């Protein structure tokens, strides 16, 4: 992914080399959209340890539902909806797992080393900001500002009223603005202490 | 809607750039995906069918389960194509452990258009209840790779074909046109009914254009006439622009 919209995407995946198992089509779709879906899933709150598997799941569902694809919309638009729902399921499953782990007091997975975090500071900030959003706002914001979807596209992908989309987007932006100010203050204090 | 605050926009842009996965990640996920494509309904597939008009009945294994099954069973060094770059990926201990760590996720597949997700509470299973990798799964995979009169078939064959295509595309990318053509032709001989025939043909066409072979422009034009809408057509147009012009002028 070279930017939020992914420059590798042509938006269309030829179905020409179709075989009974649809493998070439999905491989082509994968090549075009993998980096984009991977980054999108990560921003939708899927734990970093699960992003690869979740991304794989998205493409597997795309493959399973390939017969429904008629080319009226781009594969990417279709992937948005799949990614949001798969990510939501993963988040829910992770929360249930975390609750169970908490019950039996198992230690949480270790955090990435600091060096890695420092090297990817912008991503760390982005994910911390997105973590400040509730799931419903996060999904709408990520589709709007990361995936570059229009409000009607988001409404369709999430099955929402368009006014709900605008409302959630407005709330998300307000919350993110406040979270950004907190983050700046926190970072300023950290550097001041150092 | 008002434009996003510039600082937020910058963080998004830079964060996304940092989130870009490396080729080894792309290769690893593709390897797992390819393992799960054929034989749906088998150990790695979705027994509930693939049409997916409505919510799939019952809980299905996640990508992790299938991936773990396919990859753990084989513990192979999977070399697959990623955007024209071949990458060797050996599953290492910690990665396998990570896969195992999330093996117990249970989810329900839902249609894209359904706004509410139906989540089924995972059954109370112990780790021992999770199906383990069995010898039969390894055997299935091996059987699928048998050689037939039409060339190699099955998931392993697709993986090998993908790897071969990656090598050819990499040679093309390095400007080693003769090698790219030779690799593409060798791939065609090995997989005469391969599933990536179009991509292979595109590499050969582009390689011939790079070599400025006689007839390369005509070959490119023929390719574009037949597959002008394919994703690889853009590559042929770009790499064979000069040869196509020559071909046009010669007419």
């Amino acid at each position: 992914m070279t930017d939020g919209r992914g420059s590798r995407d042509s938006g269309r995946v030829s179905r020409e080399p179709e075989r009974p198992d649809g493998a070439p089509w999905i491989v082509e779709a994968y090549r075009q959209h993998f980096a984009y879906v991977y980054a999108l899933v990560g921003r939708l709150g899927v734990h970093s340890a699960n992003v690869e598997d979740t991304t794989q799941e998205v493409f597997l569902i795309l493959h399973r539902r390939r017969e429904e694809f008629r080319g009226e919309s781009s594969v990417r638009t279709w992937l948005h909806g799949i990614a949001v729902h798969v990510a939501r399921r993963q988040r829910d499953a992770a929360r249930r797992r975390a609750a169970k782990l908490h019950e039996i007091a198992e230690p949480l997975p270790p955090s990435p080393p600091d060096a890695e975090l420092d090297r990817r500071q912008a991503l760390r900030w982005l994910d911390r900001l997105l973590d400040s959003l509730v799931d419903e706002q996060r999904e709408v914001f990520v589709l709007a500002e990361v995936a570059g979807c229009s409000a009607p596209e988001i409404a369709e992908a999430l099955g929402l009223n368009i006014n709900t989309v605008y409302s959630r987007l407005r709330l998300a932006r307000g919350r993110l603005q406040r979270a950004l100010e907190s983050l700046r203050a926190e970072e300023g204090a950290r550097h001041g202490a150092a | 809607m008002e434009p996003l605050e510039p600082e937020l926009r910058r963080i998004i842009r830079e964060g996304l750039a940092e989130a870009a996965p490396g080729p080894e990640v792309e290769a690893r996920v593709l390897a797992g995906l390819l393992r799960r494509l054929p034989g749906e309904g088998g150990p790695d597939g979705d027994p509930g069918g693939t049409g997916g008009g409505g919510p799939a009945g019952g809980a299905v294994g996640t990508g992790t389960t299938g991936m773990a099954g396919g990859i753990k069973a084989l513990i192979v060094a999977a070399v697959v194509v990623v955007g024209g770059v071949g990458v060797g990926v050996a599953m290492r201990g910690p990665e396998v452990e990570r896969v195992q760590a999330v093996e117990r996720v249970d989810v329900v597949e839902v249609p894209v258009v359904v706004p509410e997700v139906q989540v089924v509470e995972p059954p109370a299973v112990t780790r021992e209840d999770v199906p383990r990798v069995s010898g039969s799964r390894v055997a299935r995979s091996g059987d699928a790779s048998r050689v037939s009169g039409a060339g190699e078939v099955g998931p392993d064959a697709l993986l090998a074909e993908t790897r071969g295509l990656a090598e050819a595309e990499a040679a093309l990318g390095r400007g080693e046109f003769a090698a790219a053509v030779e690799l593409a032709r060798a791939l065609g001989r090995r997989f005469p009914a391969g599933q990536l025939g179009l991509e292979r043909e595109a590499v050969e066409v582009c390689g011939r254009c790079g070599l400025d072979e006689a007839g390369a422009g005509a070959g490119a034009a023929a390719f574009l006439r037949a597959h002008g809408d394919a994703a690889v057509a853009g590559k042929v147009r770009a790499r064979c622009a000069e040869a196509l012009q020559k071909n046009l002028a010669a007419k």
Side-chain angles (χ1 to χ4, degrees):
Chain A
M1 173 184 277
T2 54
D3 59 36
R5 278 74 174 162
S7 60
R8 274 207 285 172
D9 178 45
S10 65
R12 302 277 170 184
V13 177
S14 166
R15 300 205 57 174
E16 191 158 2
E18 186 67 271
R19 300 270 298 209
D21 62 4
W25 183 76
I26 195 66
V27 169
E28 194 178 334
Y30 180 90
R31 283 179 176 170
Q32 288 190 20
H33 301 289
F34 167 76
Y36 174 75
V37 171
Y38 184 93
L40 188 66
V41 161
R43 310 293 73 70
L44 285 168
V46 173
H47 190 283
S48 58
N50 296 333
V51 169
E52 287 184 26
D53 299 304
T54 306
T55 303
Q56 185 189 114
E57 188 70 13
V58 169
F59 282 99
L60 192 64
I61 291 175
L62 181 72
H63 172 73
R64 287 172 178 166
R65 301 184 62 168
R66 65 193 179 278
E67 295 305 325
E68 297 171 32
F69 183 66
R70 294 286 180 268
E72 288 92 353
S73 59
S74 73
V75 170
R76 176 167 291 192
T77 302
W78 216 26
L79 282 168
H80 289 150
I82 298 175
V84 165
H85 286 285
V86 173
R88 194 182 292 171
R89 282 154 39 194
Q90 279 285 355
R91 286 196 308 265
D92 291 344
R95 283 174 186 145
R96 289 198 303 274
R97 220 170 35 247
K100 286 182 180 174
L101 283 174
H102 182 72
E103 282 175 17
I104 56 176
E106 280 189 10
L108 292 170
S111 300
D114 286 343
E116 176 69 7
L117 284 180
D118 286 344
R119 198 170 58 79
R120 306 170 76 183
Q121 192 188 46
L123 182 59
R124 180 168 59 94
W125 275 48
L126 175 58
D127 285 345
R128 282 193 61 183
L129 290 170
L130 293 174
D131 284 343
S132 72
L133 301 176
V134 296
D135 288 348
E136 292 78 9
Q137 293 170 9
R138 181 177 193 144
E139 288 171 355
V140 170
F141 182 84
V142 167
L143 286 183
E145 303 296 346
V146 174
C149 295
S150 67
E153 285 171 336
I154 297 169
E156 185 183 347
L158 300 181
L160 297 173
N161 181 294
I162 195 162
N163 290 330
T164 307
V165 172
Y166 282 122
S167 168
R168 288 183 183 176
L169 200 49
R170 189 175 58 252
L171 290 170
R173 286 178 168 199
R175 191 181 282 240
L176 281 175
Q177 195 56 50
R178 291 191 295 277
L180 180 60
E181 285 159 13
S182 299
L183 205 52
R184 282 176 184 146
E186 187 183 312
E187 288 290 314
R190 202 173 70 155
H191 288 303
Chain B
M1 188 61 66
E2 292 175 15
L4 199 60
E5 202 255 342
E7 176 71 358
L8 272 175
R9 181 154 298 288
R10 183 190 65 78
I11 291 171
I12 291 172
R13 188 180 65 248
E14 293 179 6
L16 287 177
E18 291 176 2
E24 73 285 354
V25 175
E26 193 166 352
R28 191 161 55 230
V29 176
L30 178 59
L33 180 66
L34 291 177
R35 294 267 177 230
R36 299 179 70 195
L37 289 184
E40 288 176 313
D44 287 347
D46 169 14
T50 63
V60 296
T62 63
T64 306
T65 308
M67 182 179 175
I71 293 183
K72 281 198 305 179
L74 300 170
I75 312 294
V76 292
V79 184
V80 296
V81 60
V82 178
V85 180
V87 182
V89 180
M91 288 302 290
R92 295 180 296 277
E95 287 165 325
V96 173
E97 287 169 13
R98 182 185 58 70
V99 169
Q100 288 172 329
V102 292
E103 233 182 6
R104 291 168 61 187
V105 177
D106 289 291
V107 294
V108 173
E109 185 174 330
V110 296
V112 175
V113 295
V114 174
E116 296 301 324
V117 177
Q118 297 178 15
V119 178
V120 170
E121 195 62 25
V125 294
T126 65
R127 190 155 191 81
E128 288 68 33
D129 292 328
V130 177
R132 310 307 299 172
V133 175
S134 67
S136 63
R137 179 174 293 178
V138 177
R140 281 174 67 101
S141 180
D143 291 343
S145 300
R146 68 190 179 279
V147 175
S148 71
E152 298 174 44
V153 296
D156 293 343
L158 181 56
L159 201 61
E161 188 183 2
T162 307
R163 177 179 59 186
L165 181 64
E167 290 169 357
E169 287 184 334
L172 192 66
R174 291 191 301 269
E176 298 169 5
F177 302 120
V181 170
E182 185 46 45
L183 285 166
R185 287 175 179 164
L187 201 62
R189 287 192 293 273
R190 185 178 173 191
F191 301 99
Q195 301 191 48
L196 300 171
L198 195 64
E199 287 84 351
R200 170 176 50 76
E201 195 181 336
V203 170
E204 184 176 344
V205 168
C206 291
R208 291 184 62 207
C209 290
L211 290 170
D212 201 17
E213 272 188 10
F223 180 91
L224 292 173
R225 274 197 303 276
H227 311 293
D229 293 334
V232 288
K235 183 191 297 183
V236 172
R237 285 192 190 94
R239 285 192 173 272
C240 294
E242 200 174 322
L244 283 164
Q245 278 192 343
K246 282 183 188 174
N247 181 59
L248 204 62
K251 285 185 177 176

